[in-house]
Amino acid sequence: DPLEFRLNHLEDERAIAVIQKIQVLTASVNATDGAGIGHAFMRYKNTDAYIAVAAKVTVDKNNGRIQLLKMWAAVDVGEVINMDGLTNQIEGGLTQAASWTLKEQVTFNTSQITSTDWLKYPIIRFSDIPEVEVAIINRPNEDAKGVGEVPIPPTAAAIANAVYKACGKRVYDLPITPEKILGI
């Protein structure tokens, strides 16, 4: 189990706390056939905020279509100055990272870029945005750390791990597309 592995090898209490919180948030979530839940953890720049992310996806094994169903984040940025702002930043970062992970790329034909406007550029649409749940661990006795890009790296890892759990396919370059799932 990826979370238990981390918990067995970590000594940092704040790292342990965000991982345990993501365990609690996802404990009752079932992954049926074709679905998977992936997890990821990091400490931003190895010195700042702590974050654990989980993602639940389904993968249609016939056409490779990935549906992102839900994302969770447990975050410790030290002292929380503005809870709403912090929560909004995490939610937005999760969504942006999901778009990068599953959709975004510049497209080309043999002579030019073809993704020249927002209609042609592959990006997550409102209809694709999953439910998002954010849990903040407030530490008023710790220094406040910024949250800017904190959710970006672990979101891609959590989604990639969820895809693997759903269909058994590891994809190592982004975006994770149906063609990569099917090996086309």
Side-chain angles (χ1 to χ4, degrees):
D1 179 86
L3 297 180
E4 288 300 324
F5 177 83
R6 286 167 177 79
L7 292 172
N8 289 334
H9 293 88
L10 281 168
E11 296 176 6
D12 186 323
E13 291 179 18
R14 292 171 72 184
I16 291 167
V18 296
I19 292 171
Q20 288 174 331
K21 185 64 175 180
I22 210 76
Q23 276 182 316
V24 169
L25 292 173
T26 60
S28 64
V29 180
N30 294 321
T32 58
D33 187 40
I37 300 171
H39 297 88
F41 163 80
M42 72 161 217
R43 183 164 186 203
Y44 191 64
K45 296 183 181 179
N46 295 322
T47 60
D48 290 338
Y50 298 81
I51 185 167
V53 174
K56 181 178 181 182
V57 304
T58 59
V59 177
D60 184 318
K61 293 178 183 175
N62 294 318
N63 61 21
R65 184 176 177 273
I66 303 159
Q67 183 178 7
L68 181 57
L69 302 174
K70 185 165 181 176
M71 292 187 295
W72 299 262
V75 185
D76 173 349
V77 296
E79 181 181 17
V80 175
I81 306 301
N82 180 330
M83 185 66 76
D84 286 340
L86 173 59
T87 303
N88 291 339
Q89 185 68 25
I90 296 297
E91 290 172 347
L94 291 168
T95 303
Q96 182 178 29
S99 186
W100 292 348
T101 303
L102 296 172
K103 301 278 186 180
E104 294 191 43
Q105 64 182 337
V106 176
T107 58
F108 303 86
N109 64 20
T110 57
S111 62
Q112 63 189 7
I113 293 172
T114 57
S115 53
T116 56
D117 58 42
W118 290 116
L119 294 175
K120 296 178 189 128
Y121 184 76
I123 192 168
I124 200 168
R125 304 293 181 193
F126 283 113
S127 60
D128 298 320
I129 295 174
E131 180 183 350
V132 175
E133 186 176 342
V134 177
I136 308 297
I137 299 172
N138 188 10
R139 301 215 184 249
N141 297 323
E142 297 288 343
D143 291 340
K145 299 291 186 181
V147 71
E149 297 174 342
V150 169
I152 302 298
T155 299
I159 292 170
N161 288 333
V163 166
Y164 174 73
K165 292 234 175 140
C167 70
K169 178 73 174 178
R170 281 276 182 211
V171 179
Y172 295 101
D173 62 324
L174 301 181
I176 303 171
T177 62
E179 294 78 19
K180 291 175 185 173
I181 296 294
L182 298 174
I184 300 173

